[in-house]
Amino acid sequence: MKKYLAFIVLGASILSACNSAKDNNNQLSLTGQVVGIEQGTVYLQKFDDKSYPVVDSSPIVNGTFSFSTDIEQLPEIYCLSLDTTEIPLLVFLDKGDNVSVKLDPTDYYRNSTVSGSALQDLFVAYKQQEEKVAIDSFIQAHPTSLVAAYALYRDYAYRMKPDEIEANIALLDSSLYQTPYVQILRKLVSTLRETGVGGKAPDFTLNTPEGKPVKMSDFKGKSYFLIDFWASWCGPCRRENPNVVNAYQTYHDRGFDILAVSLDKKLEPWKEAIEKDGLTWTHVSDLSYWKSEVAKLYGVRAIPSNVLVDKDGIIIARNLKGEDLQQKLKELYQ
């Protein structure tokens, strides 16, 4: 009898554990149709700090697709695409969502629509008014929403000072503090304080397009130099390059130099852009895109970005563009 009762208890425990595990699963329920495409593959990707690793895939059958996938965490940002080399459609998902997507691959998925996700509705509304949004007011209106944390992380933090980032994090509900977006922002605050004006520029070594290692510290002890973060795929960077070329040509004879750090992914486009834009200074990269360790080292969240360093390795300015760069160099070399 005791053995029988023990089996009953054990069985109940196992059943309870299984039910608990089932309850804890974050199962994604997502269906959709692809505009203008009858066959192929739709990829489900996770948003991972500006990269998009594949989680699952679904065949397109008669223009439709579906996912029923256990995923790690909800709420979270996932993505859909037909080509994993391109920027995908962001989809904000929460527990219990039954999501339907009309996936339109034209114009970088901008004409796609998502229904069944309240988070996605808020994200779409935010993007439509983004230029008019004051981020502190937006957070105060939606303190528990993942959209608020994402907006601060993605669209505002890169132009904020450390104290401003901290002040806006404090407006978020504590339930968001363990999200990757807030954790990245906390690390960014620390990095920006270490690499702000007056701080010592941290050393690094990267390879040139020819594979030759170059140390940042080799530029110290001579004159002022600019650590310039850019990429061949970055339109604003390419538009800023003529200004950087002008600064280099004007002040190089007086000692000014540039060490350009590229966030490219492939060697050939990087080399072609260097030649096409006439960038005759030293270029280095680990070809790691937004996973660049040097970009993280300097708290670079958007490009073009730069750090102006003196001969002692002290940072004297950050993010000088256009006329601001020319004016600063003029002051220094007068």
Side-chain angles (χ1 to χ4, degrees):
M1 183 67 178
K2 291 182 179 179
K3 289 183 179 180
Y4 179 71
L5 289 173
F7 276 119
I8 292 176
V9 172
L10 178 60
S13 298
I14 293 172
L15 181 61
S16 176
C18 290
N19 287 334
S20 177
K22 186 176 180 181
D23 290 341
N24 289 332
N25 282 343
N26 295 313
Q27 190 171 66
L28 166 67
S29 177
L30 188 153
T31 60
Q33 66 179 98
V34 184
V35 177
I37 296 178
E38 291 296 310
Q39 295 180 332
T41 303
V42 175
Y43 297 96
L44 177 68
Q45 299 162 263
K46 187 178 184 300
F47 182 84
D48 181 19
D49 196 19
K50 300 184 181 181
S51 67
Y52 313 96
V54 174
V55 174
D56 200 356
S57 63
S58 169
I60 302 171
V61 181
N62 296 325
T64 65
F65 64 93
S66 65
F67 290 96
S68 182
T69 308
D70 288 338
I71 51 183
E72 293 179 1
Q73 179 178 341
L74 288 174
E76 188 51 278
I77 306 169
Y78 283 81
C79 317
L80 295 173
S81 76
L82 303 178
D83 183 346
T84 58
T85 66
E86 297 178 350
I87 296 176
L89 171 70
L90 297 189
V91 183
F92 285 71
L93 300 172
D94 206 348
K95 292 181 180 180
D97 286 347
N98 190 4
V99 177
S100 177
V101 179
K102 183 178 180 181
L103 190 64
D104 187 340
T106 61
D107 196 22
Y108 301 100
Y109 301 102
R110 288 192 179 96
N111 298 316
S112 301
T113 57
V114 179
S115 59
S117 167
L119 280 176
Q120 186 75 12
D121 292 343
L122 178 59
F123 175 65
V124 171
Y126 156 72
K127 294 303 287 186
Q128 290 173 343
Q129 299 292 322
E130 181 180 350
E131 294 182 359
K132 301 177 183 178
V133 169
I135 187 59
D136 54 349
S137 298
F138 185 78
I139 293 173
Q140 288 173 323
H142 309 282
T144 63
S145 175
L146 187 67
V147 177
Y150 171 83
L152 175 61
Y153 146 90
R154 183 67 180 86
D155 298 327
Y156 290 87
Y158 73 90
R159 43 186 161 157
M160 287 180 168
K161 296 178 180 179
D163 290 349
E164 293 177 299
I165 298 173
E166 280 193 326
N168 279 280
I169 289 175
L171 298 175
L172 292 166
D173 187 82
S174 60
S175 61
L176 295 169
Y177 287 175
Q178 296 305 310
T179 64
Y181 313 102
V182 174
Q183 291 179 2
I184 288 169
L185 289 176
R186 291 195 187 281
K187 291 179 182 177
L188 178 62
V189 167
S190 176
T191 299
L192 290 177
R193 285 190 171 134
E194 292 174 0
T195 60
V197 174
K200 185 176 181 180
D203 199 9
F204 60 87
T205 301
L206 285 177
N207 287 346
T208 67
E210 296 72 34
K212 177 184 176 182
V214 173
K215 291 185 68 174
M216 183 279 291
S217 54
D218 290 342
F219 285 71
K220 290 166 53 178
K222 301 171 185 177
S223 183
Y224 301 100
F225 65 97
L226 191 73
I227 304 173
D228 187 37
F229 294 89
W230 75 297
S232 66
W233 48 261
C234 168
C237 302
R238 304 294 294 274
R239 291 191 290 272
E240 177 65 14
N241 276 343
N243 177 59
V244 184
V245 169
N246 186 19
Y248 183 78
Q249 292 176 343
T250 303
Y251 295 101
H252 183 57
D253 288 345
R254 300 168 73 175
F256 176 63
D257 211 343
I258 299 175
L259 176 60
V261 178
S262 169
L263 273 63
D264 271 279
K265 294 184 283 187
K266 297 180 180 179
L267 178 62
E268 288 308 315
W270 175 35
K271 291 171 65 175
E272 290 171 5
I274 292 171
E275 182 177 357
K276 185 175 182 180
D277 291 5
L279 313 180
T280 57
W281 46 83
T282 303
H283 293 264
V284 295
S285 179
D286 56 10
L287 297 177
S288 296
Y289 194 49
W290 283 109
K291 297 300 182 182
S292 165
E293 291 300 323
V294 176
K296 294 179 184 178
L297 187 65
Y298 281 82
V300 173
R301 298 291 305 168
I303 52 176
S305 179
N306 57 53
V307 177
L308 185 60
V309 184
D310 70 11
K311 63 179 182 174
D312 298 317
I314 303 302
I315 297 170
I316 60 172
R318 287 189 63 128
N319 295 327
L320 296 170
K321 300 181 184 70
E323 185 58 34
D324 290 339
L325 177 60
Q326 301 287 347
Q327 184 60 39
K328 184 64 176 180
L329 294 175
K330 182 177 179 180
E331 293 172 4
L332 293 172
Y333 283 102
Q334 276 183 340

